[in-house]
Amino acid sequence: MSGVNKNIVILISGGGSNMAAIVERGRAQRWQARFGARVAAVISNKAAAPGLAWAKDQGITTAALDHTAYADREAFDAALVAEIDRHQPALVVLAGFMRILTPGFVRHYEGRLVNIHPSLLPAFTGLKTHQRAIEMGCRFAGATVHRVTSELDHGEILAQAVVPVLPGDTPDTLAERVLTQEHLMYPLAVERLLQAAG
Ligand code: GRF
């Protein structure tokens, strides 16, 4: 991650609350002035993703690529790479992007691709993390920011946030508690990467 223009491209599929938290911290902490970094684009695989409308309102370039319009994963990922690379990103941030990426995609962005996963990895990779944590009787749950490798939800851990699992928690109440921490942790983790890159 070098050079003065550190473009960040964020991929979302839904609400985009982590994306919004990153955009807002970037503004508050003057990432542009300090690191030459800015969120250059927000891209979604769903045109109706509420986060996409929010980003557009903020004056950020947005794009939607409907994965169902492509013959297979390789074709979709190739189109996604083309769209992302228009911005020459220093960092590609997955923030609730609900698609499994091909090894080719991951290789292409090696060293500049990060994700947030709503569990304390390496526990509970995959889906329904909060439900599984409750069912297993976990006393603590949380979220992890990690580098992305071709193995799902693996890769170097960059940050973790822990919350208690409370009696009577449902997957939704636990998700809400974890998400609050995600909004603090993810922007900070991105900022640390920008800082480390100088
Ligand atoms: C977050 O819980 C994130 O950890 C998971 O999907 C959720 C996305 O929420 N990967 P949002 O779109 O950032 O609001």
Side-chain angles (χ1 to χ4, degrees):
M1 208 193 299
S2 59
V4 273
N5 289 314
K6 295 194 191 77
N7 280 347
I8 301 168
V9 172
I10 307 182
L11 305 189
I12 64 168
S13 294
S17 64
N18 278 292
M19 174 275 297
I22 292 167
V23 168
E24 281 167 355
R25 183 169 177 100
R27 283 204 193 117
Q29 294 295 319
R30 301 169 37 255
W31 286 356
Q32 176 83 69
R34 291 168 63 202
F35 313 119
R38 68 186 187 105
V39 176
V42 174
I43 301 172
S44 176
N45 63 314
K46 293 196 172 161
L52 215 52
W54 184 90
K56 207 173 190 167
D57 275 356
Q58 304 295 309
I60 299 170
T61 300
T62 60
L65 262 74
D66 176 3
H67 62 273
T68 63
Y70 295 85
D72 53 26
R73 234 178 247 289
E74 277 71 24
F76 172 67
D77 278 11
L80 193 56
V81 164
E83 189 61 44
I84 295 171
D85 280 355
R86 291 170 60 180
H87 305 282
Q88 298 278 303
L91 198 57
V92 177
V93 174
L94 306 177
F97 187 64
M98 302 304 286
R99 301 290 307 161
I100 291 174
L101 298 161
T102 55
F105 181 99
V106 173
R107 222 176 303 119
H108 184 75
Y109 295 110
E110 199 185 341
R112 46 186 178 141
L113 186 59
V114 294
N115 181 43
I116 190 161
H117 181 74
S119 80
L120 293 172
L121 291 174
F124 306 124
T125 59
L127 298 173
K128 296 191 189 297
T129 54
H130 302 308
Q131 186 183 319
R132 287 153 65 206
I134 291 169
E135 280 170 7
M136 288 300 290
C138 294
R139 301 301 198 262
F140 294 95
T144 304
V145 176
H146 64 99
R147 289 193 190 276
V148 176
T149 61
S150 50
E151 205 180 337
L152 184 69
D153 298 328
H154 281 66
E156 182 194 351
I157 290 174
L158 298 173
Q160 281 188 314
V162 180
V163 304
V165 180
L166 301 177
D169 257 343
T170 65
D172 284 348
T173 59
L174 181 55
E176 205 181 307
R177 193 172 310 119
V178 171
L179 199 56
T180 307
Q181 294 305 311
E182 293 183 33
H183 296 161
L184 299 173
M185 170 174 65
Y186 210 2
L188 255 172
V190 169
E191 188 169 300
R192 245 180 268 134
L193 289 172
L194 297 171
Q195 231 155 13

